[in-house]
Amino acid sequence: MYRGILTLMAVAGAAAATAAPAATQTVEILPQLGVSTVKYDSDMFDSSTGLGLEIGGKLRVGRRFYVEPGVFFAWGGADISDQTDEGTLTLGDFRVPLVVGLKVVASRALEVRVFAGGGAAFVTSVSGDGALEDVTSDDVTSTLWNARVGIGGDFTLVSADIGYDFGLTDLTAEPDPGDSAVNRNGFFLEAGLRFGF
């Protein structure tokens, strides 16, 4: 289902970008670093809010309306506790976000954008400590889908985005019947340079 939604968004964004006259198009490459909050939401336990790091980049195609795929390597985790146990779960993953956006302010000095979309995170490493020291990659869903919304700004060669990722996939690979889903949610801030051509 989510794969179909993302495919549809990609087709729609690409169609919008190619439908406009070539003179109105811009293409920008954006190498970026990011920080994010990590929280595992579930009715079964409490989770603190941890921090994560990201490194990667995006490709922005369009002028006022644009489509923006990206690729990031990321890692981060948070503490999880219930009435008797506590531990930290840390994930490393390869993220592929895809958003469509609108520039609501577009001047030579400053651009302000709003965007929405989604993405997938392909889990590459899993580690835990405390009560979670026995957790392995077999216990975690290998592909985590999410939706994202946010706002961004561009000033000369600098570009930055801030937003929120809503987890759509249960983190637990094989949940017990009756268990509530475990979703990874969090804010993100991604910033870096932009190069247009």
Side-chain angles (χ1 to χ4, degrees):
M1 173 180 163
Y2 305 126
R3 204 168 286 179
I5 293 171
L6 291 175
T7 301
L8 181 60
M9 287 173 49
V11 171
T18 56
T24 68
Q25 294 301 298
T26 61
V27 177
E28 295 176 330
I29 297 174
L30 304 107
Q32 293 188 327
L33 297 174
V35 294
S36 58
T37 62
V38 180
K39 187 171 184 181
Y40 303 114
D41 288 326
S42 176
D43 295 335
M44 299 183 297
F45 53 75
D46 294 320
S47 171
S48 67
T49 300
L51 286 178
L53 299 174
E54 307 174 12
I55 182 170
K58 302 170 185 173
L59 179 69
R60 186 183 301 154
V61 181
R63 190 170 286 272
R64 185 171 182 190
F65 296 95
Y66 65 90
V67 59
E68 187 179 85
V71 174
F72 286 87
F73 293 97
W75 57 96
D79 294 334
I80 295 174
S81 62
D82 58 21
Q83 295 179 347
T84 59
D85 296 311
E86 182 175 346
T88 301
L89 179 63
T90 302
L91 302 181
D93 54 72
F94 177 72
R95 298 181 185 178
V96 185
L98 174 66
V99 301
V100 292
L102 169 66
K103 296 178 181 178
V104 294
V105 175
S107 69
R108 288 190 175 184
L110 176 68
E111 293 180 347
V112 178
R113 301 170 282 100
V114 293
F115 58 86
F122 303 96
V123 177
T124 57
S125 66
V126 178
S127 63
D129 63 19
L132 300 172
E133 64 181 354
D134 294 330
V135 174
T136 69
S137 57
D138 292 335
D139 302 312
V140 174
T141 303
S142 60
T143 304
L144 304 174
W145 296 93
N146 67 277
R148 67 169 34 190
V149 294
I151 185 169
D154 303 317
F155 179 73
T156 62
L157 291 177
V158 178
S159 180
D161 294 327
I162 186 169
Y164 193 81
D165 282 331
F166 301 88
L168 302 175
T169 306
D170 191 345
L171 187 69
T172 308
E174 297 181 2
D176 293 329
D179 284 354
S180 65
V182 179
N183 294 316
R184 184 178 67 173
N185 302 316
F187 290 95
F188 63 88
L189 171 62
E190 297 162 351
L193 302 177
R194 64 173 183 154
F195 303 96
F197 57 91

